[in-house]
Amino acid sequence: MALADTRIAYQPDVDKHAGVLAYELVQGDLVQWNSFMDKSIPDPPTAVLLHGILGSRKNWGSFAKRLAHEFPMWQFLLVDLRCHGDSASIKKRGPHTVASTALDVLKLVVQLRLTPRVLVGHSFGGKVALSMVEQAAKPLARPVRVWVLDATPGKVRAGGDGEDHPAELIEFLRRMPAQVSSKVEVVNALVKEQFSVDVARWVATNLRRSSPLGQQSSSNFSWTFDLNGISEMYKSYEDTNLWSIVENVPRGVHINFLKAERSLHRWALEDLKRIHSAEELAADEGGGVEMHVLEDAGHWVHADNPDGLFRILSSTFRIETTIRGMQD
């Protein structure tokens, strides 16, 4: 699967799905790209933003709008990964893995005829971005910059004392009723099971009203995701090893890792040493690997320190805009 070089038009500010995944395209004010324009006009630079397990494209909504405001020549493709959000209603064959999830996104950008210059993935989405680079049969647009936010290429280490464990969270949610009477009921149940209030409230955002507002019903909310599929996806996240693409970075590909300062349980000293070794090797081979640290942030980097994350990511969009200007 290769990313397409041809172009297609898109109406901004409309939630859609292309039969592959549900998606939204957030465009800067200087992006004037629609189905009626001359196809010879180059498509604007595009970044793909990928959420983590139990998330949705809405996790990136406000951040993408901020990026589009600061970089008005760019457009940002937000997707609901398989089994999540609006994509949960699009039936997918198993296995539900990091690789199959990455292939979904590759198929979507091909169908939309987009050429992403930047891939940004948080947690599970970070491994998906790496898998996209690994699976693309032909070279991606060069340069292409990949951001892996608070995830490592290999072993996933569970949280320590006082940390939420995603696998345990998923299994607890699978035991809950498919429909509940209120979001508060879910929050209280999760807190009772020793999950943090922040995580409990975040999980509750995945509930959708299943009965019309005002209609009497004992079960007014249901989940927007496929928990059985998500359980399989998280197991794949734990098992998938993508060190090979990091230690043999294709020419023109630059992989950035971002470690949250307070997310120490997800990073081992061996991971950091291996990434730093890959930095030196990639520089010699014409690729790039770089390590960043986001201060004052836990795992939820775009919620804990959005200003700091914005400053770090902004350098990528400035560099890419400059390069594109020189090419034009």
Side-chain angles (χ1 to χ4, degrees):
M1 181 61 61
L3 299 191
D5 289 328
T6 50
R7 284 84 188 173
I8 193 172
Y10 184 91
Q11 287 297 105
D13 303 323
V14 177
D15 296 347
K16 297 186 177 183
H17 72 77
V20 180
L21 293 172
Y23 67 92
E24 177 183 355
L25 199 60
V26 177
Q27 296 179 318
D29 288 342
L30 298 182
V31 176
Q32 297 180 347
W33 195 50
N34 58 54
S35 57
F36 306 105
M37 290 184 67
D38 185 343
K39 299 300 188 296
S40 65
I41 298 175
D43 60 308
T46 302
V48 179
L49 305 182
L50 305 171
H51 63 79
I53 287 287
L54 294 176
S56 74
R57 69 182 189 272
K58 293 179 181 178
N59 295 158
W60 282 112
S62 59
F63 196 87
K65 290 175 182 177
R66 183 175 177 181
L67 285 170
H69 178 76
E70 181 71 17
F71 304 102
M73 296 176 63
W74 280 77
Q75 58 186 9
F76 301 88
L77 178 65
L78 285 58
V79 301
D80 283 340
L81 300 176
R82 64 166 55 205
C83 302
H84 290 75
D86 293 330
S87 291
S89 62
I90 304 172
K91 298 305 179 184
K92 296 289 186 183
R93 290 183 179 179
H96 301 299
T97 62
V98 169
S100 62
T101 305
L103 186 57
D104 289 343
V105 184
L106 286 170
K107 287 179 178 178
L108 177 64
V109 296
V110 168
Q111 184 167 332
L112 297 178
R113 300 177 188 238
L114 296 173
T115 308
R117 299 282 173 174
V118 177
L119 308 175
V120 182
H122 174 242
S123 195
F124 176 87
K127 273 195 176 179
V128 172
L130 289 176
S131 184
M132 288 175 66
V133 174
E134 183 183 55
Q135 291 188 61
K138 294 181 180 179
L140 299 172
R142 301 301 173 87
V144 61
R145 295 181 179 269
V146 181
W147 283 87
V148 181
L149 307 182
D150 213 39
T152 58
K155 184 177 180 179
V156 175
R157 294 169 175 82
D161 293 339
E163 293 286 349
D164 291 308
H165 295 246
E168 294 177 6
L169 174 61
I170 293 166
E171 290 311 304
F172 178 76
L173 293 176
R174 290 176 75 183
R175 295 194 299 270
M176 291 194 71
Q179 292 188 320
V180 296
S181 60
S182 71
K183 293 185 178 183
V184 173
E185 175 187 336
V186 171
V187 171
N188 290 341
L190 287 168
V191 171
K192 186 177 179 180
E193 287 293 314
Q194 305 301 311
F195 294 101
S196 71
V197 174
D198 287 344
V199 165
R201 289 173 176 167
W202 168 70
V203 167
T205 64
N206 289 289
L207 287 165
R208 179 176 295 164
R209 188 175 292 276
S210 51
S211 300
L213 192 62
Q215 180 174 314
Q216 294 297 319
S217 173
S218 60
S219 298
N220 286 333
F221 294 89
S222 57
W223 296 110
T224 60
F225 42 46
D226 171 3
L227 281 167
N228 290 329
I230 287 173
S231 179
E232 190 176 342
M233 290 167 75
Y234 187 77
K235 181 65 166 58
S236 171
Y237 175 55
E238 291 184 313
D239 295 342
T240 298
N241 188 320
L242 291 165
W243 277 108
S244 60
I245 195 68
V246 177
E247 295 175 334
N248 298 279
V249 182
R251 183 174 292 274
V253 175
H254 194 108
I255 300 174
N256 296 270
F257 288 94
L258 183 139
K259 172 185 175 298
E261 184 182 37
R262 298 200 305 270
S263 200
L264 300 178
H265 63 281
R266 289 177 176 85
W267 295 84
L269 183 59
E270 63 187 85
D271 294 330
L272 299 175
K273 288 181 176 178
R274 203 165 174 180
I275 289 172
H276 286 308
S277 295
E279 282 186 85
E280 298 175 7
L281 180 62
D284 294 337
E285 297 297 326
V289 175
E290 193 170 351
M291 187 75 198
H292 308 258
V293 176
L294 179 62
E295 298 178 351
D296 193 28
H299 183 59
W300 308 104
V301 290
H302 36 1
D304 290 347
N305 188 358
D307 292 340
L309 180 62
F310 185 83
R311 285 193 297 272
I312 292 174
L313 289 182
S314 290
S315 61
T316 281
F317 297 105
R318 291 193 182 95
I319 290 170
E320 290 298 315
T321 301
T322 301
I323 291 174
R324 192 173 178 90
M326 293 173 63
Q327 291 174 339
D328 294 343

Short mmCIF file of all heavy atoms in Angstrom, two decimals, residues 81-113:
data_model
loop_
_atom_site.label_atom_id
_atom_site.label_comp_id
_atom_site.label_asym_id
_atom_site.label_seq_id
_atom_site.Cartn_x
_atom_site.Cartn_y
_atom_site.Cartn_z
N LEU A 81 -10.12 5.52 14.63
CA LEU A 81 -9.55 4.22 14.30
C LEU A 81 -10.60 3.12 14.42
O LEU A 81 -11.64 3.30 15.05
CB LEU A 81 -8.37 3.92 15.22
CG LEU A 81 -7.21 4.93 15.17
CD1 LEU A 81 -6.14 4.57 16.19
CD2 LEU A 81 -6.61 5.02 13.77
N ARG A 82 -10.36 2.00 13.77
CA ARG A 82 -11.31 0.89 13.82
C ARG A 82 -11.73 0.58 15.26
O ARG A 82 -10.94 0.71 16.20
CB ARG A 82 -10.74 -0.37 13.15
CG ARG A 82 -9.52 -0.94 13.85
CD ARG A 82 -9.18 -2.35 13.37
NE ARG A 82 -9.02 -2.45 11.94
CZ ARG A 82 -9.20 -3.58 11.25
NH1 ARG A 82 -9.52 -4.70 11.89
NH2 ARG A 82 -9.02 -3.61 9.94
N CYS A 83 -12.99 0.22 15.41
CA CYS A 83 -13.59 -0.13 16.71
C CYS A 83 -13.78 1.07 17.63
O CYS A 83 -14.22 0.91 18.78
CB CYS A 83 -12.78 -1.20 17.45
SG CYS A 83 -12.56 -2.73 16.53
N HIS A 84 -13.46 2.28 17.18
CA HIS A 84 -13.55 3.48 18.00
C HIS A 84 -14.48 4.50 17.35
O HIS A 84 -14.55 4.62 16.12
CB HIS A 84 -12.18 4.12 18.17
CG HIS A 84 -11.22 3.34 19.02
ND1 HIS A 84 -10.59 2.20 18.58
CD2 HIS A 84 -10.78 3.54 20.29
CE1 HIS A 84 -9.80 1.73 19.54
NE2 HIS A 84 -9.91 2.52 20.58
N GLY A 85 -15.16 5.29 18.19
CA GLY A 85 -15.96 6.40 17.70
C GLY A 85 -16.93 6.00 16.61
O GLY A 85 -17.56 4.93 16.65
N ASP A 86 -17.05 6.85 15.59
CA ASP A 86 -17.97 6.57 14.50
C ASP A 86 -17.51 5.44 13.60
O ASP A 86 -18.29 4.91 12.80
CB ASP A 86 -18.19 7.85 13.66
CG ASP A 86 -18.92 8.93 14.43
OD1 ASP A 86 -19.73 8.58 15.31
OD2 ASP A 86 -18.68 10.12 14.16
N SER A 87 -16.23 5.06 13.69
CA SER A 87 -15.74 3.93 12.90
C SER A 87 -16.17 2.59 13.46
O SER A 87 -16.06 1.57 12.80
CB SER A 87 -14.21 3.97 12.80
OG SER A 87 -13.77 5.05 12.01
N ALA A 88 -16.66 2.58 14.72
CA ALA A 88 -17.09 1.32 15.34
C ALA A 88 -18.27 0.70 14.58
O ALA A 88 -18.46 -0.51 14.62
CB ALA A 88 -17.46 1.55 16.79
N SER A 89 -19.04 1.55 13.87
CA SER A 89 -20.18 1.03 13.12
C SER A 89 -19.78 0.51 11.75
O SER A 89 -20.61 -0.07 11.03
CB SER A 89 -21.23 2.14 12.95
OG SER A 89 -20.70 3.23 12.21
N ILE A 90 -18.51 0.72 11.36
CA ILE A 90 -18.01 0.21 10.08
C ILE A 90 -17.37 -1.15 10.37
O ILE A 90 -16.30 -1.23 10.98
CB ILE A 90 -16.97 1.17 9.46
CG1 ILE A 90 -17.58 2.57 9.30
CG2 ILE A 90 -16.47 0.65 8.12
CD1 ILE A 90 -16.57 3.63 8.87
N LYS A 91 -18.01 -2.20 9.97
CA LYS A 91 -17.55 -3.54 10.32
C LYS A 91 -16.20 -3.86 9.68
O LYS A 91 -16.01 -3.66 8.48
CB LYS A 91 -18.58 -4.59 9.90
CG LYS A 91 -19.93 -4.43 10.60
CD LYS A 91 -19.78 -4.44 12.12
CE LYS A 91 -21.11 -4.25 12.83
NZ LYS A 91 -20.94 -4.17 14.31
N LYS A 92 -15.29 -4.31 10.51
CA LYS A 92 -13.94 -4.65 10.06
C LYS A 92 -13.65 -6.11 10.35
O LYS A 92 -14.00 -6.63 11.40
CB LYS A 92 -12.90 -3.78 10.78
CG LYS A 92 -13.00 -2.29 10.49
CD LYS A 92 -12.54 -1.99 9.09
CE LYS A 92 -12.50 -0.50 8.82
NZ LYS A 92 -12.13 -0.21 7.44
N ARG A 93 -12.97 -6.75 9.42
CA ARG A 93 -12.52 -8.10 9.66
C ARG A 93 -11.34 -8.10 10.62
O ARG A 93 -10.52 -7.20 10.60
CB ARG A 93 -12.09 -8.76 8.35
CG ARG A 93 -13.22 -9.07 7.38
CD ARG A 93 -12.68 -9.78 6.15
NE ARG A 93 -13.73 -10.12 5.21
CZ ARG A 93 -13.51 -10.73 4.04
NH1 ARG A 93 -12.27 -11.06 3.71
NH2 ARG A 93 -14.51 -11.01 3.23
N GLY A 94 -11.25 -9.13 11.43
CA GLY A 94 -10.07 -9.28 12.26
C GLY A 94 -8.92 -9.82 11.44
O GLY A 94 -9.09 -10.15 10.26
N PRO A 95 -7.76 -9.92 12.01
CA PRO A 95 -7.50 -9.56 13.40
C PRO A 95 -7.46 -8.05 13.59
O PRO A 95 -7.11 -7.31 12.67
CB PRO A 95 -6.14 -10.20 13.67
CG PRO A 95 -5.45 -10.20 12.33
CD PRO A 95 -6.54 -10.45 11.33
N HIS A 96 -7.81 -7.61 14.79
CA HIS A 96 -7.75 -6.19 15.13
C HIS A 96 -6.38 -5.91 15.75
O HIS A 96 -6.16 -6.15 16.93
CB HIS A 96 -8.87 -5.83 16.10
CG HIS A 96 -10.24 -6.10 15.55
ND1 HIS A 96 -10.72 -5.48 14.42
CD2 HIS A 96 -11.23 -6.94 15.98
CE1 HIS A 96 -11.95 -5.90 14.16
NE2 HIS A 96 -12.28 -6.80 15.09
N THR A 97 -5.47 -5.44 14.93
CA THR A 97 -4.07 -5.29 15.34
C THR A 97 -3.55 -3.90 15.00
O THR A 97 -4.22 -3.13 14.31
CB THR A 97 -3.19 -6.31 14.62
OG1 THR A 97 -3.25 -6.06 13.19
CG2 THR A 97 -3.65 -7.74 14.89
N VAL A 98 -2.35 -3.61 15.49
CA VAL A 98 -1.68 -2.37 15.10
C VAL A 98 -1.52 -2.31 13.59
O VAL A 98 -1.79 -1.28 12.95
CB VAL A 98 -0.30 -2.27 15.79
CG1 VAL A 98 0.52 -1.12 15.19
CG2 VAL A 98 -0.46 -2.07 17.29
N ALA A 99 -1.11 -3.42 12.98
CA ALA A 99 -0.86 -3.45 11.54
C ALA A 99 -2.14 -3.25 10.74
O ALA A 99 -2.16 -2.48 9.77
CB ALA A 99 -0.20 -4.77 11.15
N SER A 100 -3.24 -3.93 11.14
CA SER A 100 -4.49 -3.77 10.39
C SER A 100 -5.06 -2.37 10.57
O SER A 100 -5.67 -1.80 9.66
CB SER A 100 -5.51 -4.83 10.82
OG SER A 100 -5.86 -4.69 12.19
N THR A 101 -4.85 -1.78 11.75
CA THR A 101 -5.30 -0.41 11.99
C THR A 101 -4.52 0.56 11.11
O THR A 101 -5.10 1.50 10.54
CB THR A 101 -5.11 -0.04 13.48
OG1 THR A 101 -5.79 -1.00 14.30
CG2 THR A 101 -5.65 1.34 13.77
N ALA A 102 -3.21 0.35 11.00
CA ALA A 102 -2.39 1.20 10.14
C ALA A 102 -2.80 1.07 8.68
O ALA A 102 -2.85 2.06 7.94
CB ALA A 102 -0.91 0.84 10.31
N LEU A 103 -3.13 -0.15 8.27
CA LEU A 103 -3.55 -0.37 6.89
C LEU A 103 -4.86 0.36 6.60
O LEU A 103 -5.05 0.90 5.50
CB LEU A 103 -3.70 -1.87 6.62
CG LEU A 103 -4.00 -2.28 5.18
CD1 LEU A 103 -2.92 -1.77 4.23
CD2 LEU A 103 -4.13 -3.80 5.08
N ASP A 104 -5.76 0.41 7.58
CA ASP A 104 -7.00 1.19 7.43
C ASP A 104 -6.68 2.64 7.08
O ASP A 104 -7.29 3.23 6.18
CB ASP A 104 -7.81 1.20 8.73
CG ASP A 104 -8.44 -0.14 9.07
OD1 ASP A 104 -8.55 -1.00 8.18
OD2 ASP A 104 -8.83 -0.31 10.24
N VAL A 105 -5.76 3.23 7.83
CA VAL A 105 -5.43 4.65 7.63
C VAL A 105 -4.76 4.84 6.27
O VAL A 105 -5.04 5.82 5.57
CB VAL A 105 -4.54 5.19 8.77
CG1 VAL A 105 -4.29 6.68 8.59
CG2 VAL A 105 -5.19 4.94 10.13
N LEU A 106 -3.89 3.91 5.88
CA LEU A 106 -3.26 4.00 4.57
C LEU A 106 -4.32 3.93 3.45
O LEU A 106 -4.27 4.68 2.48
CB LEU A 106 -2.25 2.87 4.39
CG LEU A 106 -0.92 3.02 5.14
CD1 LEU A 106 -0.13 1.72 5.07
CD2 LEU A 106 -0.10 4.17 4.57
N LYS A 107 -5.28 3.03 3.62
CA LYS A 107 -6.35 2.93 2.62
C LYS A 107 -7.17 4.22 2.55
O LYS A 107 -7.58 4.65 1.46
CB LYS A 107 -7.27 1.75 2.95
CG LYS A 107 -6.65 0.39 2.69
CD LYS A 107 -7.63 -0.72 3.07
CE LYS A 107 -7.06 -2.10 2.77
NZ LYS A 107 -8.00 -3.18 3.17
N LEU A 108 -7.41 4.84 3.70
CA LEU A 108 -8.18 6.08 3.72
C LEU A 108 -7.45 7.20 2.99
O LEU A 108 -8.06 7.91 2.17
CB LEU A 108 -8.46 6.50 5.17
CG LEU A 108 -9.21 7.83 5.34
CD1 LEU A 108 -10.61 7.74 4.73
CD2 LEU A 108 -9.29 8.23 6.81
N VAL A 109 -6.15 7.39 3.27
CA VAL A 109 -5.44 8.49 2.61
C VAL A 109 -5.31 8.23 1.11
O VAL A 109 -5.31 9.18 0.31
CB VAL A 109 -4.06 8.77 3.26
CG1 VAL A 109 -4.23 9.23 4.69
CG2 VAL A 109 -3.13 7.58 3.17
N VAL A 110 -5.22 6.96 0.72
CA VAL A 110 -5.20 6.64 -0.72
C VAL A 110 -6.56 6.98 -1.33
O VAL A 110 -6.64 7.59 -2.40
CB VAL A 110 -4.86 5.16 -0.94
CG1 VAL A 110 -5.12 4.75 -2.39
CG2 VAL A 110 -3.39 4.90 -0.60
N GLN A 111 -7.63 6.59 -0.64
CA GLN A 111 -8.97 6.88 -1.17
C GLN A 111 -9.22 8.38 -1.28
O GLN A 111 -9.84 8.85 -2.23
CB GLN A 111 -10.02 6.23 -0.26
CG GLN A 111 -11.44 6.38 -0.79
CD GLN A 111 -12.40 5.47 -0.05
OE1 GLN A 111 -12.03 4.42 0.46
NE2 GLN A 111 -13.65 5.89 0.03
N LEU A 112 -8.73 9.13 -0.31
CA LEU A 112 -8.90 10.59 -0.35
C LEU A 112 -7.86 11.26 -1.24
O LEU A 112 -7.94 12.46 -1.48
CB LEU A 112 -8.79 11.17 1.08
CG LEU A 112 -9.86 10.72 2.07
CD1 LEU A 112 -9.61 11.34 3.43
CD2 LEU A 112 -11.25 11.07 1.57
N ARG A 113 -6.88 10.47 -1.69
CA ARG A 113 -5.81 10.96 -2.57
C ARG A 113 -5.02 12.08 -1.90
O ARG A 113 -4.74 13.12 -2.50
CB ARG A 113 -6.38 11.41 -3.92
CG ARG A 113 -7.09 10.28 -4.65
CD ARG A 113 -7.71 10.76 -5.94
NE ARG A 113 -8.53 9.71 -6.53
CZ ARG A 113 -8.34 9.20 -7.75
NH1 ARG A 113 -7.35 9.64 -8.50
NH2 ARG A 113 -9.12 8.26 -8.21
#
